[in-house]
Amino acid sequence: MSSTALGNHILVEFMNCDPHVMNDVAAIERDMVGAARKAEATVINSTFHHFSPYGVSGVVVIQESHLAIHTWPEYGYAAVDVFTCGDMNAWIAFDHLKECFGAKSYSAIEMKRGSVNLLTRNDFDITSAREKAAEWRNPDFYTRNVWFTDKDEDQALSLRFTGDVFFDVQSPFQRVRILESTKYGKMLALDDMVMTTIKDEFHYHEMIAHPSLFTLQNAKNVLVIGGGDGGTVREVLRHSNIEKVTMVEIDGEVIKACKEHLPEIAAAFDDPRLELIVDDGIAFVKNAADAVYDLLIVDGSDPVGPAEGLFSVDFYQNCYRTLKADGILVAQGESPKFNEKAFAELNQTLQSIFGKDNAPVGLFFVPTYPTGMWSFQYGLKGAADPRKVTNTDAIKSFVAQKGLRYYNEDIHFSTFALPNFVKELVKK
Ligand code: SAM
């Protein structure tokens, strides 16, 4: 570093980069830390955030200062700055990033920072400071903060994850990834939305299955639309009265990813009572026969991409038709606090098809979904109504026998006790 300046700052515009890379927080974190290492810098800390629907910001703090980045995938653009002091050659980092990002064009300016001619040196005991710093410095240890953020315009949920990616495939329907969050363990993300994590999946999967199965008591034939992680069929197949479960998942990559990396959730795919079909659930229900299913579970993702049609009136009219006279429908119902509109519209649809009093809402909590407050929405075709269940002893012994961790005979009823603002949202 020249004797005239304390630091050297390169400001870079990387353009025409690969938009997918520009939207990949794990890849960008890996490349930025890699660039620092390539330039023989000592990495102290890295903090990276992925923003939904797209864009990444992050910084790598190095002993020699920092590397920072902000990306606009929609423009294939990354604004990068490399600030160094000491002998580190920042241009080595620049070259590494240019290659990693596949930047077809760029511009860069270099500026000296902290011109010593303009600065006055304080009387500072450098020796004790150096000794003190030596205590802190451990080149092998650096904290990685790679954050995954699921947000809408006004609110977000961020999960810190290790940066390790176990599965990453762009399927014809969505991007399927298995990541590892530091608090909730391995997780399935579809198009950057958290679908399920090892540490809180039971909240969702126990509540999607058991309230209805204890209402029907002797269900035999169940249809599951979606549910590619396998958690829903795992819970349904815990019931010995079940003879057949048909699961129709549109994306085979989801099943593959979960079988390989989330075996605790994808635990029942070999059950002989399960027929696993990789197909569009909307078309499947449209072509299904009348009155064949006791229980129909819609374990779909949010109303975007392949799952958009899983919120349509047509789809639910077909669901109604294919249910037996006393059948029950349960649908992943979104959140009254995150996407109120989709939540309320779905309930109006179910009321219009099943009847105003036959579309109850069950609330429950999933810490890794934005706001944590989520719902299952019901369609009751006949008299079977989870709010009128009496066999609580059967629930109690089943919960004890199976070691369930969320669902029990109290939660079975409390899930239908709605706060006033939710009652307003689903008013008849
Ligand atoms: N718990 C998650 C949630 O609340 O968003 C849902 C989990 S599950 C993994 C959602 C599954 O629905 C995904 O695997 C997705 O591929 C599947 N899916 C989406 N649209 C579908 C469709 N039209 N037919 C069948 N499966 C569909």
Side-chain angles (χ1 to χ4, degrees):
M1 177 68 275
S2 75
S3 58
T4 55
L6 299 177
N8 193 41
H9 206 168
I10 300 179
L11 300 177
V12 185
E13 309 276 271
F14 283 123
M15 293 168 275
N16 304 310
C17 304
D18 175 341
H20 294 296
V21 174
M22 291 295 101
N23 198 34
D24 188 334
V25 65
I28 288 177
E29 190 252 358
R30 181 200 57 222
D31 298 338
M32 290 286 283
V33 171
R37 291 240 161 93
K38 200 127 194 217
E40 292 170 8
T42 304
V43 177
I44 305 289
N45 171 299
S46 70
T47 298
F48 283 76
H49 261 278
H50 174 265
F51 296 100
S52 180
Y54 39 68
V56 170
S57 289
V59 62
V60 181
V61 178
I62 52 178
Q63 194 177 301
E64 301 79 1
S65 299
H66 75 255
L67 293 79
I69 186 168
H70 305 282
T71 74
W72 285 260
E74 69 277 30
Y75 294 103
Y77 166 63
V80 170
D81 72 277
V82 183
F83 190 129
T84 63
C85 58
D87 300 329
M88 177 188 155
N89 176 352
W91 290 102
I92 295 174
F94 163 84
D95 288 334
H96 181 75
L97 293 172
K98 185 159 71 67
E99 202 180 313
C100 292
F101 298 164
K104 296 186 191 54
S105 56
Y106 67 86
S107 73
I109 54 170
E110 182 172 12
M111 51 192 292
K112 304 286 172 242
R113 304 295 301 271
S115 160
V116 286
N117 309 333
L118 304 173
L119 301 169
T120 318
R121 190 182 178 93
N122 298 326
D123 183 9
F124 188 65
D125 171 14
I126 197 89
T127 333
S128 62
R130 259 217 192 94
E131 278 144 15
K132 193 94 198 94
E135 289 163 23
W136 301 324
R137 205 172 21 254
N138 167 356
D140 300 330
F141 171 79
Y142 85 91
T143 51
R144 285 174 89 181
N145 280 316
V146 190
W147 291 83
F148 182 100
T149 299
D150 189 345
K151 76 181 193 73
D152 66 6
E153 294 66 48
D154 312 312
Q155 56 188 320
L157 172 116
S158 290
L159 289 176
R160 183 167 171 219
F161 76 104
T162 63
D164 303 328
V165 178
F166 298 88
F167 189 96
D168 187 355
V169 168
Q170 180 63 44
S171 83
F173 308 100
Q174 56 213 344
R175 183 168 186 193
V176 181
R177 284 195 293 174
I178 301 283
L179 309 165
E180 179 147 27
S181 70
T182 50
K183 182 164 173 71
Y184 290 96
K186 278 193 181 163
M187 61 183 210
L188 168 69
L190 296 181
D191 283 348
D192 301 322
M193 289 174 279
V194 179
M195 288 293 125
T196 193
T197 79
I198 288 293
K199 292 267 175 66
D200 70 354
E201 59 87 10
F202 64 93
H203 297 219
Y204 180 97
H205 292 124
E206 291 182 13
M207 290 308 288
I208 200 170
H210 302 307
S212 308
L213 287 166
F214 277 99
T215 305
L216 293 164
Q217 296 189 33
N218 199 24
K220 302 255 180 287
N221 194 10
V222 176
L223 174 62
V224 175
I225 301 297
D229 50 65
T232 295
V233 292
R234 180 196 65 199
E235 293 305 312
V236 170
L237 289 161
R238 285 181 190 275
H239 294 256
S240 54
N241 49 284
I242 299 293
E243 291 173 2
K244 171 95 189 277
V245 177
T246 309
M247 176 178 150
V248 183
E249 162 60 53
I250 198 166
D251 194 338
E253 291 297 337
V254 174
I255 297 169
K256 186 160 161 260
C258 296
K259 271 186 173 174
E260 237 172 272
H261 299 286
L262 302 176
E264 311 88 326
I265 304 181
F269 279 131
D270 301 328
D271 189 304
R273 295 170 292 169
L274 176 64
E275 182 187 359
L276 184 51
I277 300 170
V278 177
D279 192 359
D280 181 354
I282 298 161
F284 183 88
V285 167
K286 192 175 169 78
N287 304 324
D290 293 1
V292 284
Y293 297 107
D294 298 293
L295 175 61
L296 200 166
I297 298 178
V298 182
D299 179 6
S301 29
D302 302 308
V304 288
E308 199 166 345
L310 298 179
F311 291 76
S312 68
V313 173
D314 279 0
F315 172 68
Y316 285 105
Q317 278 166 342
N318 281 314
C319 290
Y320 182 91
R321 181 183 52 72
T322 197
L323 277 171
K324 289 181 184 170
D326 212 22
I328 293 181
L329 170 117
V330 187
Q332 186 276 105
E334 299 295 323
S335 168
K337 268 295 179 198
F338 186 64
N339 28 31
E340 296 87 332
K341 192 165 168 295
F343 170 84
E345 279 173 5
L346 174 58
N347 198 257
Q348 292 310 314
T349 298
L350 295 176
Q351 285 188 43
S352 69
I353 295 168
F354 287 85
K356 291 210 167 306
D357 301 323
N358 297 337
V361 168
L363 292 180
F364 65 104
F365 295 94
V366 186
T368 56
Y369 288 2
T371 76
M373 180 186 258
W374 220 257
S375 80
F376 289 121
Q377 302 207 27
Y378 292 75
L380 313 177
K381 189 168 179 177
D385 184 334
R387 297 164 293 184
K388 299 182 183 139
V389 153
T390 54
N391 54 339
T392 48
D393 290 346
I395 298 176
K396 229 182 198 156
S397 59
F398 182 90
V399 168
Q401 194 200 342
K402 305 291 179 183
L404 300 189
R405 292 176 287 154
Y406 194 99
Y407 176 72
N408 60 42
E409 66 280 8
D410 304 320
I411 291 277
H412 178 99
F413 296 101
S414 65
T415 190
F416 298 106
L418 303 180
N420 301 333
F421 81 91
V422 179
K423 287 184 180 168
E424 273 306 304
L425 277 173
V426 295
K427 206 162 43 202
K428 304 183 179 106

